[in-house]
Amino acid sequence: MLNKKYSIETIFDITEKLYFEIRKNEEFYNKFFKRYDISKLIEVQKETIAHLLGYKSNVTEIDLVEKHKHLNIKEEDWNTFVKIVIKVLNDFKLEQKEIDFVLGKFSHFKDQIITA
């Protein structure tokens, strides 16, 4: 859906902006991202998000439960993430149906990410 309207570079820009906004949320950032090399994480997430949204990429399947279980992510953490995603997508002026599409794709993985 998005790949007919937005270039993969736009998706990469959205991903970078997402992590910029995550860094601005100090509590959320410190809880989940502070101990990681954020620049490396952004590069991985660019490909992962592009793959998730239907763009060509070389992403292999990832065990999200294994990757997230040590983080003890709760429902309210997920909700914070979703709010940040919505802000970023609105900043890029995506239409509501496009925002709903992205959130729908992310929500498929919610049960694998919320571990607490």
Side-chain angles (χ1 to χ4, degrees), residues 88-102:
V88 169
L89 298 176
N90 279 320
D91 288 349
F92 276 84
K93 307 214 182 307
L94 270 68
E95 296 175 20
Q96 187 59 50
K97 67 181 180 180
E98 295 165 338
I99 293 171
D100 293 343
F101 172 78
V102 172

Side-chain angles (χ1 to χ4, degrees), residues 61-99:
E61 294 301 316
I62 299 169
D63 183 346
L64 295 175
V65 173
E66 187 63 33
K67 291 284 187 187
H68 293 87
K69 70 181 181 181
H70 68 285
L71 296 172
N72 197 29
I73 297 172
K74 297 176 176 56
E75 182 79 26
E76 61 261 22
D77 302 319
W78 175 264
N79 293 336
T80 297
F81 174 74
V82 168
K83 286 178 189 175
I84 295 169
V85 169
I86 291 170
K87 182 203 181 309
V88 169
L89 298 176
N90 279 320
D91 288 349
F92 276 84
K93 307 214 182 307
L94 270 68
E95 296 175 20
Q96 187 59 50
K97 67 181 180 180
E98 295 165 338
I99 293 171

